[in-house]
């Protein structure tokens, strides 16, 4: 959403609306031989470091690898295993993005492309970028490292105009669940930052609205965001490890709470 400005102008990068989540959707308005930048975004390696020095476990400091693959794609025919062009239901050849040999101009365009992506984390150019980082309910607390690698096809001795950016990002600490005596009648809302983000995507009514609606429904029905339902606390009983002596010879103290 941030890299494409919700698939609408003004676009923050030269990829415009060609930003994908681990897959490449059908594209329109391009003909075979056209060159177009595109980006693929996904996450890898979810690591959690214990913040409790006593017994380990939660809460954790959570970090993930956010991967953004940048490439200069050229529209070409989709070829099957037999080497022949693949045809669609209308019996017309299918097109896809194919790698292109690197040239100085393409490398410069990739430099520009990466700079535009970096600007998204330094100075978010749109409201979706501010939801990503820089606001109170942002998806990312901070970027801890930035690694950029270029792809090289060594076997064929071709250099392709493609780069992989890997950001090590720290995620916010999720809120602790509430403790209640009676379960709520209505399912509780999905907490931030995910809940408000899904609502904003649905309200935007863009290409991802249906996906966001389905995710929200699935997560809400799972019930994982509800409070902890515990019976009312009636008494507290404390027993000292070293029993005897003092004002409590038996080493026991108890307090009863009034019924409500």
């Amino acid at each position: 959403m941030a890299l494409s400005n919700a698939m609408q102008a003004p676009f923050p990068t030269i990829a415009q609306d060609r930003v994908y989540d681990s897959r490449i959707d059908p594209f329109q308005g391009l003909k075979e031989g056209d060159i177009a930048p595109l980006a693929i975004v996904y996450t890898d390696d979810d690591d959690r470091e214990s913040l409790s020095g006593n017994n380990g476990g939660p809460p954790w400091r959570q970090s993930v690898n956010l991967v953004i693959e940048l490439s200069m794609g050229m529209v070409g025919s989709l070829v099957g295993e037999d080497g022949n062009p693949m045809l669609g239901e209308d019996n017309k050849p299918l097109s896809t993005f194919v790698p292109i040999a690197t040239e100085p101009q393409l490398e410069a365009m990739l430099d520009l492309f990466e700079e535009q992506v970096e600007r998204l984390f330094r100075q978010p150019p749109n409201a979706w970028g501010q939801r990503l980082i820089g606001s109170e309910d942002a998806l990312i607390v901070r970027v801890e490292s930035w690694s950029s690698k270029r792809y090289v096809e060594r076997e064929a001795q071709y250099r392709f105009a493609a780069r992989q950016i890997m950001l090590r990002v720290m995620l916010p600490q999720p809120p602790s669940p509430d403790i209640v005596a009676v379960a709520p009648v209505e399912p509780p809302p999905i907490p931030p930052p995910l809940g408000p983000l899904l609502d904003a995507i649905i309200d935007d009514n863009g290409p991802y609205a249906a996906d966001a609606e389905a995710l929200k429904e699935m997560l809400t029905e799972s019930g994982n965001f509800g409070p902890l339902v515990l019976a009312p606390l009636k008494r507290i009983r404390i027993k000292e490890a070293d029993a005897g002596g003092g004002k409590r010879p038996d080493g026991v103290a108890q307090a009863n709470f009034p019924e409500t």
Side-chain angles (χ1 to χ4, degrees):
M1 298 296 289
L3 281 172
S4 68
N5 191 30
M7 302 295 177
Q8 59 185 350
F11 299 109
T13 75
I14 56 177
Q16 299 184 2
D17 59 349
R18 291 181 292 271
V19 181
Y20 309 100
D21 51 346
S22 304
R23 73 183 192 278
I24 297 179
D25 297 331
F27 48 86
Q28 300 177 349
L30 298 174
K31 60 182 183 296
E32 188 165 333
D34 286 348
I35 297 177
L38 65 127
I40 300 177
V41 183
Y42 56 94
T43 55
D44 271 341
D45 298 341
D46 184 340
D47 297 324
R48 307 188 185 193
E49 176 186 357
S50 175
L51 295 176
S52 174
N54 296 328
N55 56 3
W60 290 290
R61 178 186 293 111
Q62 185 178 6
S63 299
V64 300
N65 288 343
L66 174 61
V67 181
I68 305 175
E69 293 184 355
L70 312 179
S71 62
M72 307 299 296
M74 182 172 64
V75 180
S77 298
L78 191 62
V79 180
E81 296 181 356
D82 57 0
N84 296 321
M86 299 179 64
L87 303 179
E89 296 180 356
D90 55 0
N91 206 34
K92 293 182 179 180
L94 297 175
S95 298
T96 186
F97 283 115
V98 296
I100 51 181
T102 299
E103 298 178 0
Q105 295 87 346
L106 296 178
E107 287 287 356
M109 290 185 69
L110 276 175
D111 288 338
L112 170 63
F113 200 174
E114 183 172 351
E115 170 64 23
Q116 291 173 332
V117 173
E118 181 182 349
R119 188 181 306 164
L120 184 71
F121 294 90
R122 288 190 286 109
Q123 298 172 329
N126 54 52
W128 301 104
Q130 293 171 4
R131 287 183 175 273
L132 180 66
I133 190 170
S135 65
E136 183 178 353
D137 294 330
L139 294 167
I140 295 174
V141 175
R142 64 173 177 264
V143 178
E144 298 180 337
S145 64
W146 179 293
S147 174
S148 178
K149 298 180 180 179
R150 61 191 298 269
Y151 281 127
V152 177
E153 177 55 59
R154 300 186 183 279
E155 294 183 2
Q157 296 183 350
Y158 284 117
R159 295 175 300 168
F160 296 122
R163 292 183 190 174
Q164 183 189 71
I165 303 173
M166 181 177 294
L167 291 76
R168 187 67 173 172
V169 300
M170 179 178 171
L171 303 186
Q173 182 71 28
S176 299
D178 295 330
I179 300 177
V180 298
V182 180
V185 177
E186 296 292 333
I190 302 172
L194 180 58
L197 173 62
L198 291 176
D199 290 337
I201 295 175
I202 295 170
D203 293 341
D204 186 69
N205 200 28
Y208 290 120
D211 290 338
E213 185 73 49
L215 282 173
K216 180 180 178 180
E217 182 178 351
M218 178 190 68
L219 294 173
T220 301
E221 291 180 352
S222 71
N224 289 340
F225 301 106
L228 298 177
V229 181
L230 300 177
L233 183 62
K234 296 183 178 181
R235 69 179 59 89
I236 293 179
R237 184 178 176 87
I238 301 174
K239 185 174 182 179
E240 297 182 16
D242 185 10
K247 296 182 179 180
R248 296 189 305 276
D250 57 355
V252 175
Q254 179 173 306
N256 296 322
F257 291 95
E259 296 289 339
T260 57

